[in-house]
Short mmCIF file of all heavy atoms in Angstrom, two decimals:
data_model
loop_
_atom_site.label_atom_id
_atom_site.label_comp_id
_atom_site.label_asym_id
_atom_site.label_seq_id
_atom_site.Cartn_x
_atom_site.Cartn_y
_atom_site.Cartn_z
N ASN A 307 74.43 116.94 118.55
CA ASN A 307 74.25 118.30 119.10
C ASN A 307 75.39 119.22 118.65
O ASN A 307 76.38 119.28 119.31
CB ASN A 307 74.22 118.23 120.63
CG ASN A 307 74.02 119.61 121.30
OD1 ASN A 307 73.38 120.45 120.67
ND2 ASN A 307 74.58 119.70 122.45
N ILE A 308 75.20 119.87 117.51
CA ILE A 308 76.27 120.69 116.97
C ILE A 308 75.93 122.19 117.38
O ILE A 308 74.88 122.81 117.08
CB ILE A 308 76.32 120.68 115.42
CG1 ILE A 308 76.35 119.16 115.02
CG2 ILE A 308 77.43 121.46 114.92
CD1 ILE A 308 77.46 118.39 115.52
N VAL A 309 76.79 122.72 118.26
CA VAL A 309 76.59 124.07 118.80
C VAL A 309 76.89 125.10 117.72
O VAL A 309 77.95 125.22 117.22
CB VAL A 309 77.46 124.27 120.02
CG1 VAL A 309 77.29 125.68 120.60
CG2 VAL A 309 77.18 123.26 121.09
N MET A 310 75.87 125.88 117.36
CA MET A 310 76.02 126.98 116.39
C MET A 310 75.33 128.21 117.00
O MET A 310 74.22 128.15 117.42
CB MET A 310 75.26 126.65 115.10
CG MET A 310 75.67 125.36 114.42
SD MET A 310 74.68 125.17 112.90
CE MET A 310 74.94 123.47 112.57
N THR A 311 76.07 129.38 116.99
CA THR A 311 75.49 130.55 117.52
C THR A 311 74.89 131.30 116.34
O THR A 311 75.15 131.04 115.21
CB THR A 311 76.51 131.43 118.20
OG1 THR A 311 77.42 131.87 117.20
CG2 THR A 311 77.27 130.62 119.25
N GLU A 312 74.03 132.26 116.68
CA GLU A 312 73.43 133.15 115.62
C GLU A 312 74.51 133.98 114.96
O GLU A 312 74.52 134.14 113.75
CB GLU A 312 72.42 134.07 116.21
CG GLU A 312 71.13 133.39 116.64
CD GLU A 312 70.40 132.85 115.45
OE1 GLU A 312 70.43 133.43 114.34
OE2 GLU A 312 69.86 131.72 115.56
N GLU A 313 75.57 134.33 115.74
CA GLU A 313 76.70 135.05 115.15
C GLU A 313 77.48 134.16 114.15
O GLU A 313 77.83 134.62 113.07
CB GLU A 313 77.65 135.46 116.22
CG GLU A 313 78.79 136.30 115.67
CD GLU A 313 79.77 136.69 116.80
OE1 GLU A 313 79.72 136.21 117.90
OE2 GLU A 313 80.76 137.49 116.46
N ASP A 314 77.61 132.87 114.49
CA ASP A 314 78.23 131.94 113.52
C ASP A 314 77.48 131.93 112.18
O ASP A 314 78.07 132.02 111.11
CB ASP A 314 78.17 130.53 114.13
CG ASP A 314 79.12 130.34 115.28
OD1 ASP A 314 79.99 131.20 115.53
OD2 ASP A 314 79.03 129.30 115.99
N LEU A 315 76.17 131.81 112.28
CA LEU A 315 75.34 131.73 111.09
C LEU A 315 75.37 133.04 110.27
O LEU A 315 75.38 132.95 109.02
CB LEU A 315 73.95 131.38 111.46
CG LEU A 315 73.73 130.02 112.12
CD1 LEU A 315 72.28 129.72 112.48
CD2 LEU A 315 74.39 128.88 111.38
N ASP A 316 75.47 134.15 110.99
CA ASP A 316 75.58 135.44 110.30
C ASP A 316 76.89 135.53 109.53
O ASP A 316 77.00 136.06 108.40
CB ASP A 316 75.49 136.55 111.26
CG ASP A 316 74.05 136.79 111.78
OD1 ASP A 316 73.12 136.30 111.18
OD2 ASP A 316 73.91 137.40 112.83
N ILE A 317 78.00 135.06 110.16
CA ILE A 317 79.35 135.04 109.52
C ILE A 317 79.32 134.16 108.27
O ILE A 317 79.85 134.57 107.23
CB ILE A 317 80.40 134.54 110.54
CG1 ILE A 317 80.62 135.55 111.70
CG2 ILE A 317 81.75 134.25 109.79
CD1 ILE A 317 81.45 135.07 112.84
N LEU A 318 78.72 132.95 108.41
CA LEU A 318 78.62 132.08 107.22
C LEU A 318 77.95 132.75 106.05
O LEU A 318 78.32 132.71 104.92
CB LEU A 318 77.96 130.80 107.60
CG LEU A 318 78.73 129.85 108.56
CD1 LEU A 318 77.75 128.63 108.87
CD2 LEU A 318 80.03 129.43 108.06
#
Side-chain angles (χ1 to χ4, degrees):
N307 180 30
I308 310 305
V309 178
M310 307 178 193
T311 68
E312 286 300 320
E313 183 184 7
D314 290 346
L315 300 180
D316 288 344
I317 291 168
L318 293 176

